[in-house]
Short mmCIF file of all heavy atoms in Angstrom, two decimals:
data_model
loop_
_atom_site.label_atom_id
_atom_site.label_comp_id
_atom_site.label_asym_id
_atom_site.label_seq_id
_atom_site.Cartn_x
_atom_site.Cartn_y
_atom_site.Cartn_z
N TYR D 1 0.82 -1.20 0.00
CA TYR D 1 0.00 0.00 0.00
C TYR D 1 0.87 1.26 0.00
O TYR D 1 1.93 1.32 0.64
CB TYR D 1 -0.89 0.05 1.23
CG TYR D 1 -1.82 -1.12 1.40
CD1 TYR D 1 -1.49 -2.18 2.25
CD2 TYR D 1 -3.03 -1.17 0.73
CE1 TYR D 1 -2.35 -3.25 2.42
CE2 TYR D 1 -3.90 -2.24 0.90
CZ TYR D 1 -3.56 -3.29 1.74
OH TYR D 1 -4.41 -4.34 1.90
N GLY D 2 0.35 2.30 -0.67
CA GLY D 2 0.97 3.62 -0.62
C GLY D 2 0.19 4.56 0.27
O GLY D 2 0.49 5.75 0.34
N GLY D 3 -0.83 4.03 0.94
CA GLY D 3 -1.62 4.82 1.87
C GLY D 3 -2.23 3.90 2.90
O GLY D 3 -2.59 2.76 2.60
N ALA D 4 -2.33 4.38 4.14
CA ALA D 4 -2.89 3.58 5.23
C ALA D 4 -4.36 3.95 5.41
O ALA D 4 -4.68 5.09 5.76
CB ALA D 4 -2.11 3.82 6.52
N CYS D 5 -5.23 2.99 5.17
CA CYS D 5 -6.68 3.21 5.26
C CYS D 5 -7.22 2.49 6.50
O CYS D 5 -7.11 1.27 6.62
CB CYS D 5 -7.37 2.70 4.00
SG CYS D 5 -9.18 2.79 4.08
N ALA D 6 -7.79 3.26 7.43
CA ALA D 6 -8.31 2.69 8.67
C ALA D 6 -9.40 1.66 8.39
O ALA D 6 -9.46 0.60 9.04
CB ALA D 6 -8.84 3.80 9.57
N ALA D 7 -10.28 1.94 7.43
CA ALA D 7 -11.39 1.03 7.14
C ALA D 7 -10.89 -0.29 6.59
O ALA D 7 -11.42 -1.36 6.91
CB ALA D 7 -12.37 1.68 6.17
N THR D 8 -9.85 -0.24 5.72
CA THR D 8 -9.29 -1.46 5.15
C THR D 8 -8.68 -2.33 6.24
O THR D 8 -8.87 -3.55 6.27
CB THR D 8 -8.23 -1.12 4.10
OG1 THR D 8 -8.84 -0.38 3.04
CG2 THR D 8 -7.59 -2.37 3.53
N ILE D 9 -7.95 -1.72 7.16
CA ILE D 9 -7.33 -2.47 8.26
C ILE D 9 -8.41 -3.05 9.17
O ILE D 9 -8.35 -4.22 9.56
CB ILE D 9 -6.37 -1.57 9.05
CG1 ILE D 9 -5.19 -1.14 8.15
CG2 ILE D 9 -5.86 -2.27 10.30
CD1 ILE D 9 -4.26 -0.13 8.79
N TYR D 10 -9.41 -2.22 9.51
CA TYR D 10 -10.48 -2.69 10.39
C TYR D 10 -11.23 -3.88 9.78
O TYR D 10 -11.57 -4.85 10.46
CB TYR D 10 -11.45 -1.55 10.70
CG TYR D 10 -12.61 -1.98 11.55
CD1 TYR D 10 -12.45 -2.30 12.90
CD2 TYR D 10 -13.89 -2.08 11.00
CE1 TYR D 10 -13.51 -2.71 13.68
CE2 TYR D 10 -14.97 -2.50 11.77
CZ TYR D 10 -14.78 -2.81 13.11
OH TYR D 10 -15.83 -3.22 13.87
N GLU D 11 -11.47 -3.80 8.48
CA GLU D 11 -12.20 -4.87 7.80
C GLU D 11 -11.49 -6.21 7.94
O GLU D 11 -12.14 -7.26 8.04
CB GLU D 11 -12.37 -4.52 6.32
CG GLU D 11 -13.13 -5.56 5.52
CD GLU D 11 -13.17 -5.28 4.03
OE1 GLU D 11 -12.13 -4.82 3.50
OE2 GLU D 11 -14.21 -5.53 3.41
N MET D 12 -10.16 -6.21 7.97
CA MET D 12 -9.40 -7.45 8.04
C MET D 12 -9.67 -8.23 9.32
O MET D 12 -9.43 -9.44 9.38
CB MET D 12 -7.90 -7.16 7.90
CG MET D 12 -7.50 -6.65 6.52
SD MET D 12 -5.78 -6.08 6.43
CE MET D 12 -4.91 -7.62 6.66
N GLY D 13 -10.19 -7.55 10.34
CA GLY D 13 -10.48 -8.23 11.60
C GLY D 13 -11.90 -8.72 11.71
O GLY D 13 -12.25 -9.38 12.70
N THR D 14 -12.73 -8.41 10.72
CA THR D 14 -14.15 -8.81 10.80
C THR D 14 -14.33 -10.28 10.42
O THR D 14 -13.55 -10.83 9.65
CB THR D 14 -15.02 -7.93 9.89
OG1 THR D 14 -14.62 -8.13 8.52
CG2 THR D 14 -14.89 -6.46 10.26
N SER D 15 -15.38 -10.88 10.97
CA SER D 15 -15.65 -12.29 10.69
C SER D 15 -15.98 -12.53 9.22
O SER D 15 -15.63 -13.57 8.65
CB SER D 15 -16.79 -12.80 11.57
OG SER D 15 -17.96 -12.04 11.34
N SER D 16 -16.67 -11.56 8.58
CA SER D 16 -17.03 -11.74 7.18
C SER D 16 -15.79 -11.78 6.30
O SER D 16 -15.70 -12.60 5.37
CB SER D 16 -17.97 -10.62 6.72
OG SER D 16 -17.36 -9.36 6.89
N TYR D 17 -14.81 -10.92 6.58
CA TYR D 17 -13.56 -10.92 5.81
C TYR D 17 -12.81 -12.23 6.03
O TYR D 17 -12.30 -12.84 5.09
CB TYR D 17 -12.70 -9.73 6.23
CG TYR D 17 -11.37 -9.64 5.51
CD1 TYR D 17 -11.24 -8.94 4.31
CD2 TYR D 17 -10.22 -10.25 6.02
CE1 TYR D 17 -10.03 -8.86 3.65
CE2 TYR D 17 -9.01 -10.18 5.37
CZ TYR D 17 -8.91 -9.48 4.18
OH TYR D 17 -7.71 -9.40 3.53
N LYS D 18 -12.76 -12.68 7.28
CA LYS D 18 -12.02 -13.90 7.59
C LYS D 18 -12.67 -15.12 6.95
O LYS D 18 -12.00 -16.07 6.57
CB LYS D 18 -11.92 -14.09 9.10
CG LYS D 18 -10.98 -13.09 9.76
CD LYS D 18 -10.91 -13.29 11.26
CE LYS D 18 -9.92 -12.35 11.92
NZ LYS D 18 -9.87 -12.51 13.39
N THR D 19 -14.00 -15.08 6.84
CA THR D 19 -14.70 -16.18 6.17
C THR D 19 -14.32 -16.23 4.70
O THR D 19 -14.07 -17.31 4.14
CB THR D 19 -16.22 -16.01 6.32
OG1 THR D 19 -16.55 -16.06 7.72
CG2 THR D 19 -16.97 -17.11 5.58
N ILE D 20 -14.30 -15.07 4.05
CA ILE D 20 -13.93 -15.01 2.63
C ILE D 20 -12.46 -15.41 2.46
O ILE D 20 -12.10 -16.15 1.55
CB ILE D 20 -14.18 -13.60 2.07
CG1 ILE D 20 -15.67 -13.28 2.08
CG2 ILE D 20 -13.63 -13.48 0.65
CD1 ILE D 20 -15.98 -11.84 1.75
N LYS D 21 -11.63 -14.95 3.35
CA LYS D 21 -10.19 -15.24 3.28
C LYS D 21 -9.91 -16.73 3.48
O LYS D 21 -9.05 -17.30 2.81
CB LYS D 21 -9.48 -14.42 4.36
CG LYS D 21 -7.98 -14.68 4.45
CD LYS D 21 -7.36 -13.88 5.58
CE LYS D 21 -7.62 -14.51 6.92
NZ LYS D 21 -6.92 -15.80 7.11
N GLY D 22 -10.68 -17.35 4.40
CA GLY D 22 -10.44 -18.77 4.68
C GLY D 22 -9.04 -19.01 5.22
O GLY D 22 -8.58 -18.30 6.11
N ILE D 23 -8.35 -19.99 4.65
CA ILE D 23 -7.00 -20.32 5.15
C ILE D 23 -5.92 -19.52 4.44
O ILE D 23 -4.73 -19.68 4.73
CB ILE D 23 -6.72 -21.82 4.98
CG1 ILE D 23 -6.68 -22.21 3.48
CG2 ILE D 23 -7.71 -22.66 5.73
CD1 ILE D 23 -6.14 -23.60 3.25
N THR D 24 -6.30 -18.68 3.49
CA THR D 24 -5.31 -17.86 2.79
C THR D 24 -4.61 -16.93 3.78
O THR D 24 -5.25 -16.35 4.66
CB THR D 24 -6.00 -17.03 1.69
OG1 THR D 24 -6.69 -17.90 0.81
CG2 THR D 24 -4.97 -16.23 0.90
N GLU D 25 -3.29 -16.81 3.63
CA GLU D 25 -2.50 -15.97 4.53
C GLU D 25 -2.32 -14.59 3.90
O GLU D 25 -2.09 -14.47 2.69
CB GLU D 25 -1.14 -16.62 4.79
CG GLU D 25 -0.32 -15.94 5.85
CD GLU D 25 1.00 -16.66 6.13
OE1 GLU D 25 1.20 -17.75 5.53
OE2 GLU D 25 1.82 -16.13 6.91
N ILE D 26 -2.44 -13.56 4.71
CA ILE D 26 -2.32 -12.17 4.24
C ILE D 26 -1.11 -11.52 4.92
O ILE D 26 -0.97 -11.56 6.15
CB ILE D 26 -3.58 -11.36 4.55
CG1 ILE D 26 -4.84 -12.06 4.03
CG2 ILE D 26 -3.47 -9.94 3.97
CD1 ILE D 26 -4.92 -12.17 2.53
N PHE D 27 -0.26 -10.89 4.11
CA PHE D 27 0.87 -10.11 4.63
C PHE D 27 0.79 -8.72 4.00
O PHE D 27 0.70 -8.59 2.77
CB PHE D 27 2.20 -10.78 4.26
CG PHE D 27 3.41 -10.11 4.85
CD1 PHE D 27 3.63 -10.09 6.22
CD2 PHE D 27 4.35 -9.48 4.02
CE1 PHE D 27 4.75 -9.48 6.76
CE2 PHE D 27 5.47 -8.88 4.55
CZ PHE D 27 5.68 -8.87 5.92
N SER D 28 0.79 -7.69 4.84
CA SER D 28 0.61 -6.32 4.37
C SER D 28 1.91 -5.54 4.49
O SER D 28 2.65 -5.69 5.48
CB SER D 28 -0.49 -5.61 5.16
OG SER D 28 -1.71 -6.34 5.10
N ILE D 29 2.16 -4.68 3.49
CA ILE D 29 3.34 -3.82 3.49
C ILE D 29 2.88 -2.39 3.22
O ILE D 29 2.15 -2.14 2.25
CB ILE D 29 4.37 -4.25 2.43
CG1 ILE D 29 4.89 -5.66 2.72
CG2 ILE D 29 5.53 -3.26 2.36
CD1 ILE D 29 5.84 -6.21 1.66
N TRP D 30 3.28 -1.47 4.10
CA TRP D 30 3.01 -0.05 3.87
C TRP D 30 4.33 0.67 3.57
O TRP D 30 5.30 0.55 4.34
CB TRP D 30 2.35 0.59 5.08
CG TRP D 30 0.88 0.27 5.15
CD1 TRP D 30 -0.12 0.93 4.55
CD2 TRP D 30 0.28 -0.82 5.87
NE1 TRP D 30 -1.34 0.34 4.82
CE2 TRP D 30 -1.12 -0.75 5.63
CE3 TRP D 30 0.77 -1.84 6.67
CZ2 TRP D 30 -2.00 -1.65 6.18
CZ3 TRP D 30 -0.12 -2.74 7.22
CH2 TRP D 30 -1.49 -2.65 6.97
N ILE D 31 4.38 1.34 2.43
CA ILE D 31 5.56 2.14 2.07
C ILE D 31 5.36 3.53 2.65
O ILE D 31 4.43 4.26 2.27
CB ILE D 31 5.74 2.19 0.54
CG1 ILE D 31 5.97 0.78 -0.01
CG2 ILE D 31 6.90 3.10 0.17
CD1 ILE D 31 6.10 0.73 -1.52
N SER D 32 6.22 3.90 3.58
CA SER D 32 6.08 5.18 4.29
C SER D 32 7.37 5.98 4.19
O SER D 32 8.43 5.54 4.65
CB SER D 32 5.75 4.92 5.76
OG SER D 32 5.69 6.12 6.50
N PRO D 33 7.32 7.17 3.58
CA PRO D 33 6.17 7.75 2.90
C PRO D 33 5.97 7.07 1.53
O PRO D 33 6.86 6.37 1.09
CB PRO D 33 6.54 9.22 2.75
CG PRO D 33 8.05 9.20 2.69
CD PRO D 33 8.49 8.06 3.55
N PRO D 34 4.82 7.25 0.87
CA PRO D 34 3.76 8.22 1.15
C PRO D 34 2.78 7.79 2.24
O PRO D 34 2.04 8.62 2.75
CB PRO D 34 3.04 8.33 -0.19
CG PRO D 34 3.24 7.00 -0.83
CD PRO D 34 4.62 6.55 -0.43
N ALA D 35 2.70 6.49 2.59
CA ALA D 35 1.74 6.07 3.61
C ALA D 35 2.20 6.53 4.98
O ALA D 35 3.40 6.72 5.23
CB ALA D 35 1.60 4.55 3.59
N TRP D 36 1.24 6.71 5.89
CA TRP D 36 1.59 6.94 7.29
C TRP D 36 2.16 5.66 7.88
O TRP D 36 1.81 4.54 7.47
CB TRP D 36 0.34 7.32 8.09
CG TRP D 36 -0.07 8.76 7.93
CD1 TRP D 36 0.40 9.65 7.01
CD2 TRP D 36 -1.05 9.43 8.71
NE1 TRP D 36 -0.23 10.86 7.17
CE2 TRP D 36 -1.12 10.76 8.21
CE3 TRP D 36 -1.87 9.07 9.76
CZ2 TRP D 36 -1.99 11.71 8.75
CZ3 TRP D 36 -2.73 10.01 10.30
CH2 TRP D 36 -2.79 11.32 9.81
#
């Protein structure tokens, strides 16, 4: 990501997102700057 979005991060903790994700592993990278 080139920007940090609170809603995107919050969504990752919801049960609906985790259900869609299933066993897939997610690793996030923020490039700062421009991201906070």
Side-chain angles (χ1 to χ4, degrees):
Y1 302 98
C5 175
T8 299
I9 295 173
Y10 177 71
E11 180 186 39
M12 293 172 67
T14 63
S15 59
S16 59
Y17 179 90
K18 289 179 177 178
T19 298
I20 295 171
K21 177 183 78 68
I23 65 168
T24 304
E25 188 177 355
I26 307 294
F27 185 67
S28 304
I29 298 175
W30 281 274
I31 299 177
S32 177
W36 281 11

